[in-house]
Amino acid sequence: MTTPTVPAGSGPFSITVDPSGKFVYVANDLSDNVSQYTIGPDGSLTPMTTPTVPAGSGPFSITVDPSGKFVYVANDLSDNVSQYTIGPDGSLTPMTTPTVPAGSGPFSITVDPSGKYAYVANEVNVANESGDISQYTIGSDGSLTPMTTPTVTAELGARSVTVDPSGKYAYVANDGSTTVSEYTIAPDGSLTPMTTPTVTAGVDPHSVTVDPSGKYAYVANWNSENVSQYTIGPDGSLSPMAAPTVPAGYYSQSIVTVGSYAAAPAATITANPTRVPSGSSATIAWSASNVKQCTVTSSTGAVLADGTANAQDNFLLYSPQSVVITQQTVFTISCTTNGSPVSSQAIVNIPVVSQGF
């Protein structure tokens, strides 16, 4: 681009883009923070007004949930996960509980396609001389809660975790054992090792990914400087392809696949403030992604917006708006998609004025 680089923190290690394609976040390992950017129409990045937010110690991995409402960071040195909400302008705010515990050396974090579960690859479980995977449920407010069984066993050096597009299978690259662990995902989000719990990879596998079709998996091998490639069977198990590896460059550390697939639709609406005196105004903001058409209404009968999504399947029409509140009002965004409809609500209340006698 015309501007080939933009500033980041010290030791930028991981980068992610939100589902709307409007914001970018970078985990900076050495400065213990997250850089945040807006994406311009030409794809160029601009640091936000607040260019960084604090993270834990040694943030190595960052991800955005499918709804585009929440961000999570795996902090390798502080053994925890930082969790944030995403504002309408893309800026991050630490949640009320800013971190949740992880295992020893959390190196990678991912959220399943439903946005209900999160998984963290922890490099070392000292007691078992292996790695493990922390597993969490995600609340409606985006906060992580460890599952009843908080961890499942992996191999030594569990370094990267990914979930296939169907949300049925998970895979972990173990750089200490040159293997990939494979799991099935139960309806409650918990992981169970497959009958064949691991398959062989190259030397020091650092990253694993699944293509958007869910048919193939690929692993970047750091020290053998190649990529392992697999087909995914009907039961989710991996089988090496006829050519099990292809050459890569020096110290291959990360791999990603590119393609088209239907990301999860999402809609959100917010009110600020959520409590105002009668006759005062509240700002109502909304957005939706991967949708076809949306309507924004209030319980008073007003229609704030009604129209089709843009070319990127996002809906931001007429947002935000300042609305005068004279009674308790519920604002709703309802959207049609290629599948099930999505909706969200925000409520503005009026304080009750007590009268003395």
Side-chain angles (χ1 to χ4, degrees):
M1 294 186 184
T2 306
T3 303
T5 63
V6 291
S10 180
F13 203 88
S14 175
I15 187 169
T16 191
V17 180
D18 87 304
S20 74
K22 296 166 60 180
F23 313 115
V24 163
Y25 307 98
V26 175
N28 302 302
D29 171 38
L30 299 181
S31 53
D32 296 338
N33 57 15
V34 175
S35 297
Q36 45 187 5
Y37 309 85
T38 56
I39 303 177
D42 62 352
S44 60
L45 302 184
T46 300
M48 294 188 189
T49 304
T50 302
T52 63
V53 291
S57 181
F60 269 9
S61 176
I62 186 167
T63 192
V64 182
D65 87 304
S67 75
K69 297 179 181 178
F70 313 113
V71 164
Y72 306 98
V73 175
N75 302 301
D76 182 65
L77 298 181
S78 52
D79 294 342
N80 58 15
V81 174
S82 298
Q83 46 187 5
Y84 309 85
T85 57
I86 302 177
D89 62 353
S91 60
L92 302 184
T93 300
M95 294 188 189
T96 304
T97 302
T99 64
V100 292
S104 179
F107 207 93
S108 172
I109 185 167
T110 193
V111 175
D112 86 306
S114 75
K116 295 179 179 179
Y117 311 111
Y119 306 96
V120 174
N122 305 300
E123 287 194 283
V124 181
N125 181 317
V126 177
N128 298 328
E129 295 185 349
S130 66
D132 58 24
I133 307 301
S134 298
Q135 46 187 6
Y136 309 84
T137 57
I138 302 177
S140 59
D141 62 352
S143 60
L144 303 183
T145 300
M147 294 188 189
T148 304
T149 302
T151 62
V152 292
T153 300
E155 297 289 310
L156 184 63
R159 196 174 181 95
S160 173
V161 59
T162 193
V163 175
D164 86 306
S166 75
K168 296 179 179 179
Y169 312 112
Y171 307 97
V172 175
N174 306 299
D175 80 340
S177 60
T178 66
T179 61
V180 176
S181 297
E182 44 187 8
Y183 306 85
T184 56
I185 302 178
D188 65 355
S190 59
L191 303 183
T192 300
M194 294 188 189
T195 304
T196 301
T198 63
V199 293
T200 301
V203 180
D204 292 342
H206 272 210
S207 178
V208 58
T209 191
V210 175
D211 88 301
S213 75
K215 296 179 179 179
Y216 312 108
Y218 305 95
V219 174
N221 301 302
W222 170 269
N223 268 332
S224 52
E225 297 170 357
N226 58 13
V227 173
S228 299
Q229 47 186 3
Y230 309 86
T231 57
I232 301 177
D235 61 352
S237 60
L238 303 183
S239 297
M241 295 187 186
T245 62
V246 292
Y250 290 117
Y251 304 129
S252 305
Q253 179 160 295
S254 182
I255 187 167
V256 67
T257 56
V258 178
S260 298
Y261 65 98
T268 184
I269 188 167
T270 60
N272 185 30
T274 58
R275 190 177 180 89
V276 298
S278 180
S280 298
S281 297
T283 299
I284 312 302
W286 56 86
S287 65
S289 56
N290 304 302
V291 297
K292 296 174 66 177
Q293 190 272 342
C294 295
T295 302
V296 181
T297 59
S298 76
S299 57
T300 63
V303 177
L304 282 68
D306 185 10
T308 57
N310 62 20
Q312 289 75 43
D313 296 330
N314 299 322
F315 184 85
L316 296 162
L317 185 66
Y318 304 138
S319 176
Q321 288 188 31
S322 179
V323 179
V324 176
I325 306 298
T326 58
Q327 62 188 60
Q328 183 190 69
T329 307
V330 180
F331 296 90
T332 304
I333 179 171
S334 301
C335 303
T336 60
T337 72
N338 289 324
S340 301
V342 293
S343 64
S344 181
Q345 289 187 330
I347 301 175
V348 181
N349 292 296
I350 291 177
V352 176
V353 179
S354 60
Q355 298 181 353
F357 295 95

